[in-house]
Amino acid sequence: MQYTPKATAEPGWVKWTLVSIALTFLTLFLILPLVVVLYGAFEAGMQVWWQAVTEPDALSAIRLTLFVLLIVVPLNAIFGVAIAWAIAKFEFRGKTILISIIDMPFAISPVVVGLIFVILLGSQGWFGPWLAEHDVRIIFAVPGIVIVILFGTLPFVARELIPLMQQQGKEEEEASLTLGASGWKTFWHVTLPNIKWGLIYGVVLCNARAMGEFGAVAIVSGRIRGETNTMPLHIEVLYNEYMFTAAFAVSSLLTGLALVTIVVKSWIEWKDERKQKSPSAH
């Protein structure tokens, strides 16, 4: 019987060529920049690195970045689950328009987002005089930073969950409600376990984008050193002042936070897979 190669079968040299291209691309655009950042950060020694990340302006930028993350990521997680549940489980007028609006932050430049909020909430903006009368400061203050980062990271959790929840359907939730479970019990014991990995991926993406947001924050923060500079803005200040070692040091810390996020996600996945494969789980 004559062997007929499959339509998807390719010669070995094609496979290894594609693998080599992928590895080269990853090395040039992912691994090499990380190596450069770490080398520049620790080139002058650990003591210089420590001084760069513990000086007052750097500590202020670190605290502000973490503070914003603690607000933005949980809010986007809650919003993402709620809006995905509404879109995937219910039919209503304007559903397509709502999905398009969720994608709006992907289509608008972060700099334009910053300008929009300055026009709306700045001292000369539409609501600026009213805010000034009530002694509410948003632009050139922390609330403005939170708002623009919240806007920029809004789609990530929702966009991960909407197709996942649409694919899963609503039969399990309906069965749970039929058996007498309340809405909250159905959510915690049926819906959430089914979407937890999509939720984790969305939170990771939201967290990474929030840490690295630059354009919109640069517009609304006023770049007040020691007060409204996040870590990306502080890195730019150091680089513009030719303090390259300090800039690389803070960059390495920002990179480390991103890597920790990825490691935590991988660890959670590994624990879940191990739990599912254990005899007691069956």
Side-chain angles (χ1 to χ4, degrees):
M1 184 175 180
Q2 186 178 4
Y3 171 74
T4 303
K6 294 181 180 179
T8 57
E10 296 289 351
W13 67 269
V14 174
K15 176 180 68 175
W16 290 112
T17 299
L18 294 175
V19 170
S20 300
I21 292 173
L23 291 176
T24 302
F25 186 87
L26 289 175
T27 301
L28 291 176
F29 294 99
L30 182 62
I31 298 174
L32 186 59
L34 290 177
V35 171
V36 170
V37 168
L38 294 176
Y39 176 78
F42 296 101
E43 181 183 10
M46 190 68 186
Q47 185 176 359
V48 174
W49 179 88
W50 181 252
Q51 291 174 350
V53 298
T54 55
E55 59 97 12
D57 289 342
L59 288 176
S60 174
I62 294 168
R63 284 194 296 267
L64 179 57
T65 301
L66 296 177
F67 177 73
V68 171
L69 290 179
L70 289 175
I71 297 175
V72 168
V73 175
L75 285 178
N76 268 329
I78 295 170
F79 169 80
V81 172
I83 197 66
W85 197 353
I87 290 174
K89 307 298 182 181
F90 301 97
E91 294 296 331
F92 52 89
R93 290 184 179 180
K95 184 175 178 179
T96 304
I97 297 175
L98 180 58
I99 295 174
S100 300
I101 293 174
I102 293 172
D103 291 335
M104 191 177 295
F106 288 145
I108 302 177
S109 166
V111 175
V112 175
V113 172
L115 289 173
I116 289 172
F117 281 102
V118 169
I119 293 172
L120 289 174
L121 307 173
S123 59
Q124 305 299 321
W126 291 3
F127 305 106
W130 184 88
L131 292 172
E133 288 178 6
H134 293 80
D135 197 25
V136 177
R137 187 181 176 190
I138 296 179
I139 302 301
F140 303 154
V142 174
I145 298 173
V146 172
I147 289 172
V148 295
I149 294 181
L150 194 63
F151 179 90
T153 57
L154 181 144
F156 289 99
V157 176
R159 261 303 169 194
E160 286 291 326
L161 293 181
I162 289 172
L164 177 62
M165 295 178 78
Q166 286 176 333
Q167 182 183 12
Q168 291 174 348
K170 50 188 177 182
E171 289 79 9
E172 293 186 19
E173 284 90 348
E174 291 175 346
S176 176
L177 294 171
T178 303
L179 292 172
S182 64
W184 278 110
K185 280 189 176 181
T186 299
F187 173 76
W188 286 110
H189 297 287
V190 178
T191 304
L192 190 59
N194 288 337
I195 65 170
K196 62 181 177 180
W197 294 124
L199 180 60
I200 290 174
Y201 287 133
V203 167
V204 169
L205 292 174
C206 176
N207 186 70
R209 173 64 183 271
M211 284 192 295
E213 181 59 56
F214 180 85
V217 176
I219 299 296
V220 303
S221 69
R223 305 191 186 195
I224 304 172
R225 196 162 181 168
E227 293 185 22
T228 61
N229 269 357
T230 57
M231 291 175 70
L233 295 182
H234 184 63
I235 292 168
E236 187 208 21
V237 169
L238 294 174
Y239 191 84
N240 288 338
E241 294 178 353
Y242 301 101
M243 301 174 66
F244 299 124
T245 301
F248 278 123
V250 181
S251 298
S252 70
L253 198 60
L254 192 60
T255 303
L257 289 173
L259 292 176
V260 166
T261 303
I262 295 173
V263 169
V264 169
K265 178 187 72 72
S266 301
W267 180 78
I268 294 173
E269 289 179 341
W270 174 77
K271 289 286 289 184
D272 186 74
E273 290 176 2
R274 186 178 179 183
K275 182 178 179 181
Q276 292 179 356
K277 293 178 180 178
S278 63
S280 59
H282 300 284

